[in-house]
Amino acid sequence: MMESKDYIYPAPLLGDFYKQSHRVQYPKGTELVYSTWESRVALPPLDFTTSAVAFGFQAFCKEYLIDYFNEYFFSRPKDEVVTEYARFIKYTLGDQNPETQHIERLHDLGYVPLLIKAVKEGTQVPCRVPMLTVENTVSEFYWLTNFVETLLSCQTWVASTSATSAREFRKMMNEYCEKTGGAKGFVQFQGHDFSMRGMASLDAALMSGGAHLLSFTGTDTAPCVLWLERYYNANIEKELVGTAIPATEHSVMQIQGKNEYEVYKHLMTKTYPGGFLSIVSDTWDLWNVLDNVVPRLKDTIMARDGRVVIRPDSGDPTKIICGDPDGETETQRKGVVEKLWDIFGGFITDKGYKHLDTHIGCIYGESMSISAARQILDGLEAKGFASTNMVLGIGSVAYQFVSRDTLAFTFKCTYAVVNGEERLVYKAPSTDKSQIKYSPKGLVVVKKDEDGKLVCVDNLNREQWMGYNSVDLLEPIFEDGKLLRDQTLAEIREILWGPGVF
């Protein structure tokens, strides 16, 4: 056993336990296994959408099929990795003489013998249309196609689901900005990623945070920016990948006591005399801050070259921002945005909505779901305020209160070759009355129909499939240990949103 400080998880074991037994369960003479990855249906909280954003495949290929296998399997001594594998199988599955020849042969080969094809990342793929296919390229490694299912699923569903959620936030914010005449160039900053502390792991935060930045440029998930540089050719020196502003937390406010006027003044004149600054404002009494602290600092705020952002952090977000009709005070009944308008004023947009002066702003990021965001933007519109008066912090409620089943991602075998015979296979459980779990059949092609919509053509044998080569949007991205397509963040953003958005 390696020392714990050097311990890694053996590549041949990065999967479900039952994957270890499938190799001998396939028919004798199996030469090829071909499987598809798709979103079958959108369920709450994304049940209003009909498509998912393809994302995460390139990172998976680079990080695992190339880097991980090369460093922790192919580059290590064969007897070491084989012994490691045999020990694990013996003491977990009870096989006293584990079969290891397939592991030895894979190590001898020196690369992962798979062909992966996928649509361009950033593509909005309708449910029930495959995003990706996997097949083995060396016949004796037919078992490897579906062995990688577990790891591929584990490492991509989060990225794709968060990219889909972020897309829906951005679409909604674009819609309200257009209706209320908000600042269009500001929308890319209007959704700010607050989710890292609520994610299941650092890996999940990196994938989800990277997905968020397909639709926005505001984030507090700092390492995801580096993740995009590493796996998606981003470059913070040449483009805006992700950004944030100085901001206080409750500890900063607590330690300095309840003398909020002096603390606020010091922050905005001494610590940050210029630029953007976000101040959490409800450590004790948000309404006192709005009634007695901020008005006294109006001249200071207006004289700064920058913006002071007030951040409430608790309570019903719609009532806090847009006002509570049953509030005890006038300020509570007006809400944060209207109160700031009373103090600072602003301008009227071309659609006739009020917009706060650029020296002052507001952000709210507590329990921000898509429905909560819409309620806030609805509430602002009803009160006559432009949507871009607000930044919304998108946290773990949006990016962690989901699962692989939210978009019903699945990886299913649809085609095989056994003793030279093509087999067009499929899954269609009679107990699945909704047919959600039905799979495609045979080889598949993804192409555009007459209306430009992506559709799946399935039930194809190899000869039929080759006839679609010129229109198939499933492009080779990985083959035999090599990356064949290397997209950039900028390209993916443009595929998702069109040119000139970022």
Side-chain angles (χ1 to χ4, degrees):
M1 188 76 171
M2 288 178 287
E3 294 295 329
S4 60
K5 66 179 181 179
D6 297 323
Y7 189 73
I8 50 87
Y9 300 97
L13 298 173
L14 294 180
D16 298 314
F17 254 122
Y18 78 156
K19 296 292 186 183
Q20 299 298 332
S21 59
H22 293 164
R23 180 179 59 86
V24 297
Q25 296 172 11
Y26 285 111
K28 187 175 182 180
T30 300
E31 303 168 20
L32 186 139
V33 174
Y34 169 102
S35 294
T36 64
W37 171 257
E38 66 176 46
S39 164
R40 292 176 290 198
V41 67
L43 301 173
L46 291 172
D47 50 323
F48 53 85
T49 187
T50 58
S51 63
V53 177
F55 186 58
F57 312 141
Q58 184 168 298
F60 167 72
C61 290
K62 287 183 176 182
E63 183 173 8
Y64 285 96
L65 298 188
I66 298 174
D67 293 346
Y68 198 97
F69 266 86
N70 285 346
E71 183 172 357
Y72 299 121
F73 183 68
F74 297 119
S75 295
R76 293 171 59 201
K78 182 167 70 171
D79 60 345
E80 184 177 298
V81 296
V82 170
T83 300
E84 181 179 68
Y85 175 82
R87 172 188 175 273
F88 184 85
I89 298 301
K90 178 179 179 180
Y91 289 103
T92 58
L93 293 179
D95 187 343
Q96 296 305 303
N97 295 291
E99 171 60 55
T100 62
Q101 188 178 34
H102 61 298
I103 303 300
E104 297 172 37
R105 295 283 295 142
L106 181 59
H107 191 277
D108 290 341
L109 187 66
Y111 60 85
V112 176
L114 293 175
L115 170 63
I116 299 178
K117 300 176 70 178
V119 299
K120 288 280 183 68
E121 299 197 37
T123 301
Q124 299 178 61
V125 183
C127 296
R128 307 218 65 93
V129 173
M131 296 179 175
L132 173 148
T133 64
V134 181
E135 61 187 287
N136 58 292
T137 59
V138 178
S139 60
E140 68 176 289
F141 298 108
Y142 60 87
W143 55 271
L144 195 56
T145 297
N146 269 47
F147 173 81
V148 301
E149 172 194 3
T150 314
L151 187 59
L152 183 148
S153 176
C154 180
Q155 291 299 126
T156 60
W157 79 259
V158 171
S160 195
T161 303
S162 289
T164 304
S165 295
R167 176 195 67 186
E168 295 305 320
F169 273 104
R170 180 68 188 266
K171 283 169 59 180
M172 176 175 56
M173 292 173 182
N174 286 346
E175 170 195 340
Y176 280 90
C177 179
E178 183 64 32
K179 284 197 296 183
T180 63
K184 292 182 180 179
F186 183 71
V187 180
Q188 72 181 53
F189 304 100
Q190 195 179 6
H192 196 90
D193 183 8
F194 278 179
S195 68
M196 184 173 178
R197 68 188 58 190
M199 299 303 288
S201 66
L202 176 58
D203 261 4
L206 294 172
M207 292 183 286
S208 177
H212 173 88
L213 292 177
L214 303 188
S215 293
F216 297 101
T217 51
T219 183
D220 260 52
T221 306
C224 76
V225 175
L226 300 175
W227 185 84
L228 287 169
E229 284 198 312
R230 182 173 184 179
Y231 295 115
Y232 286 95
N233 303 295
N235 187 335
I236 60 174
E237 299 176 33
K238 298 180 179 179
E239 62 187 325
L240 182 54
V241 178
T243 189
I245 66 173
T248 72
E249 67 175 12
H250 288 294
S251 69
V252 174
M253 313 308 289
Q254 291 168 260
I255 291 172
Q256 299 185 75
K258 291 189 177 181
N259 55 332
E260 290 165 297
Y261 172 78
E262 294 300 332
V263 174
Y264 277 53
K265 185 175 182 180
H266 182 82
L267 284 168
M268 62 182 66
T269 60
K270 302 297 184 181
T271 311
Y272 300 104
F276 281 70
L277 167 64
S278 173
I279 305 177
V280 63
S281 301
D282 69 341
T283 301
W284 293 288
D285 189 345
L286 170 68
W287 308 118
N288 178 64
V289 167
L290 292 172
D291 284 333
N292 300 308
V293 177
V294 173
R296 293 171 62 193
L297 290 166
K298 176 182 177 180
D299 290 344
T300 302
I301 292 171
M302 295 296 286
R304 290 179 79 253
D305 181 14
R307 181 179 303 171
V308 173
V309 180
I310 302 300
R311 179 164 76 91
D313 191 45
S314 55
D316 182 310
T318 305
K319 291 179 179 179
I320 297 295
I321 300 304
C322 303
D324 180 359
D326 300 319
E328 297 177 2
T329 68
E330 182 183 32
T331 298
Q332 290 175 21
R333 291 189 290 274
K334 286 186 173 182
V336 175
V337 171
E338 186 175 356
K339 181 63 178 180
L340 292 176
W341 173 267
D342 289 346
I343 300 169
F344 295 95
F347 58 94
I348 305 300
T349 71
D350 60 358
K351 298 294 177 66
Y353 289 82
K354 299 173 184 176
H355 204 295
L356 291 172
D357 184 273
T358 56
H359 290 86
I360 192 72
C362 182
I363 184 172
Y364 194 100
E366 175 77 6
S367 302
M368 192 56 59
S369 63
I370 292 174
S371 60
R374 186 170 289 278
Q375 287 176 5
I376 291 171
L377 299 183
D378 268 338
L380 289 175
E381 181 187 8
K383 290 172 70 75
F385 285 94
S387 63
T388 49
N389 282 295
M390 281 297 305
V391 173
L392 301 178
I394 304 171
S396 55
V397 165
Y399 291 146
Q400 183 67 22
F401 284 26
V402 293
S403 73
R404 180 178 66 95
D405 290 332
T406 299
L407 290 170
F409 279 111
T410 188
F411 186 93
K412 287 291 175 282
C413 175
T414 63
Y415 175 88
V417 177
V418 180
N419 291 318
E421 173 198 353
E422 293 184 274
R423 297 187 180 182
L424 281 58
V425 301
Y426 63 100
K427 175 183 177 181
S430 62
T431 50
D432 178 24
K433 303 303 181 184
S434 65
Q435 299 186 1
I436 289 175
K437 290 196 170 185
Y438 281 31
S439 75
K441 179 180 181 180
L443 294 171
V444 303
V445 165
V446 175
K447 70 182 191 72
K448 292 182 179 180
D449 66 11
E450 294 177 353
D451 298 320
K453 181 181 178 181
L454 267 60
V455 295
C456 173
V457 180
D458 70 338
N459 202 25
L460 302 173
N461 61 30
R462 184 67 65 174
E463 183 179 358
Q464 293 168 327
W465 173 83
M466 290 179 65
Y468 286 93
N469 278 349
S470 63
V471 296
D472 193 1
L473 299 178
L474 291 166
E475 302 174 349
I477 66 168
F478 173 91
E479 185 173 18
D480 293 343
K482 294 182 174 59
L483 193 73
L484 303 181
R485 187 180 74 193
D486 202 6
Q487 290 183 262
T488 66
L489 170 64
E491 177 189 357
I492 295 170
R493 282 173 167 173
E494 185 166 323
I495 290 170
L496 184 56
W497 292 108
V501 174
F502 288 91

